[in-house]
């Protein structure tokens, strides 16, 4: 298993973006192009809780599903190859118990964009994600949920001080390193620029429509 993972992480690709502006070297504004991602979502109850009953096995399950998909557990048994960053998206649902959705996503390499292999596992979704403008801030270490929330709050405070409006019902944690890298790790918080046309959550980064539905249209 270790050798498979190490091979998978070689020659990785990343989603394309244009740098719009760097703000006092503290955070960046980027415009990301439309892209294809494979995703698995779970319920976080609540969105962050130090005494949560979630086990390490539960946390690793979505990642294992996506690793299986890119390593051949798909229609056609294609080996797709790893990409970076790995994205954790937190969508605040405000359910009866404060439930929120967390979505783990891998970017699909360019050579598989037009004909993305369909997943065998029904929990894996293929999403066509539109372009978006995000504000990003880097941070180090391993990006657990609690740390992601704290770093998000730091970025949110800077944006508010600068008079910048962002969406408050969703944020992203982007992870750029393999699990084997123990030091000098790179992560980012992404906050989506607020739009003026009151678009819904489904109209920004993670669209709910799957690729096979789009093909039927």
């Amino acid at each position: 298993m270790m050798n498979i993972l190490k091979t998978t992480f070689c020659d990785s690709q990343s989603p394309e973006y244009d740098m719009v502006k760097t703000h006092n070297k503290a955070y960046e504004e980027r415009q990301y192009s439309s892209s294809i991602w494979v995703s698995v979502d779970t319920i976080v109850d609540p969105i962050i809780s130090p005494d949560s009953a979630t086990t390490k096995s539960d946390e690793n399950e979505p990642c294992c599903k996506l690793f299986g998909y890119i390593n051949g557990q798909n229609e056609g048994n294609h080996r797709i190859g790893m990409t970076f960053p790995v994205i954790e998206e937190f969508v605040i649902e405000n359910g009866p118990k404060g439930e929120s959705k967390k979505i783990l996503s891998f970017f699909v390499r360019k050579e598989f964009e037009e004909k993305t292999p369909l997943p065998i596992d029904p929990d894996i979704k293929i999403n066509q994600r539109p372009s978006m403008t995000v504000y990003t801030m880097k941070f180090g270490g391993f990006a657990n949920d609690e740390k992601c929330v704290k770093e998000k709050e730091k970025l949110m405070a800077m944006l508010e001080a600068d008079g910048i409006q962002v969406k408050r019902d969703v944020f992203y944690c982007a992870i750029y390193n393999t699990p084997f890298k123990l030091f000098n790790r790179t992560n980012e918080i992404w906050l989506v620029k607020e739009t003026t046309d009151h678009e819904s959550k489904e109209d920004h980064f993670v669209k709910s429509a799957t690729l096979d539905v789009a093909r039927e249209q």
Side-chain angles (χ1 to χ4, degrees):
M1 182 66 174
M2 184 72 73
N3 289 335
I4 291 175
L5 291 179
K6 287 182 177 179
T7 301
T8 301
F9 280 112
C10 294
D11 189 29
S12 62
Q13 294 182 10
S14 298
E16 296 181 351
Y17 68 88
D18 292 321
M19 179 69 71
V20 178
K21 185 177 180 181
T22 299
H23 296 257
N24 299 320
K25 298 183 179 181
Y27 62 92
E28 298 176 349
E29 181 179 354
R30 302 174 185 168
Q31 176 66 46
Y32 277 88
S33 302
S34 177
S35 53
I36 304 293
W37 297 71
V38 290
S39 308
V40 176
D41 60 273
T42 58
I43 295 297
V44 181
D45 181 20
I47 193 166
I48 187 64
S49 174
D51 57 354
S52 172
T54 301
T55 66
K56 195 66 176 178
S57 176
D58 294 332
E59 293 175 353
N60 290 337
E61 184 178 2
C63 192
C64 290
K65 287 176 177 287
L66 292 178
F67 272 125
Y69 169 82
I70 66 173
N71 278 291
Q73 295 177 23
N74 54 67
E75 292 188 6
N77 303 117
H78 298 280
R79 295 290 294 271
I80 297 176
M82 189 60 193
T83 57
F84 284 103
V86 171
I87 296 295
E88 290 184 331
E89 176 194 11
F90 296 85
V91 182
I92 302 170
E93 300 281 2
N94 294 321
K97 295 182 180 180
E99 300 97 329
S100 295
K101 183 186 295 184
K102 185 169 78 169
I103 304 171
L104 183 70
S105 299
F106 288 2
F107 171 64
V108 174
R109 297 170 67 91
K110 293 180 180 179
E111 56 265 37
F112 290 97
E113 281 183 347
E114 293 188 6
K115 294 184 178 180
T116 307
L118 295 178
I120 296 173
D121 189 328
D123 290 336
I124 299 175
K125 307 299 181 184
I126 302 175
N127 299 306
Q128 171 71 57
R129 296 175 171 176
S131 61
M132 66 173 181
T133 300
V134 300
Y135 297 94
T136 75
M137 181 186 71
K138 296 184 184 299
F139 66 98
F142 281 89
N144 59 36
D145 289 359
E146 185 176 6
K147 190 168 188 177
C148 288
V149 171
K150 289 180 179 179
E151 295 298 325
K152 182 264 294 187
E153 294 298 333
K154 291 180 184 178
L155 178 56
M156 183 72 76
M158 287 190 286
L159 295 173
E160 289 178 346
D162 290 342
I164 296 173
Q165 298 295 316
V166 294
K167 295 182 181 296
R168 293 180 174 274
D169 55 0
V170 62
F171 71 94
Y172 305 89
C173 184
I175 302 167
Y176 285 86
N177 303 117
T178 77
F180 314 109
K181 185 177 177 63
L182 302 181
F183 305 101
N184 300 317
R185 296 180 59 84
T186 299
N187 314 289
E188 292 175 342
I189 290 297
W190 294 2
L191 293 176
V192 181
K193 184 177 182 179
E194 184 64 272
T195 58
T196 58
D197 59 357
H198 305 289
E199 65 182 6
S200 65
K201 290 194 291 292
E202 288 77 16
D203 292 327
H204 61 266
F205 192 23
V206 175
K207 249 188 171 180
S208 60
T210 56
L211 199 62
D212 52 337
V213 173
R215 285 170 179 165
E216 292 177 0
Q217 296 175 347

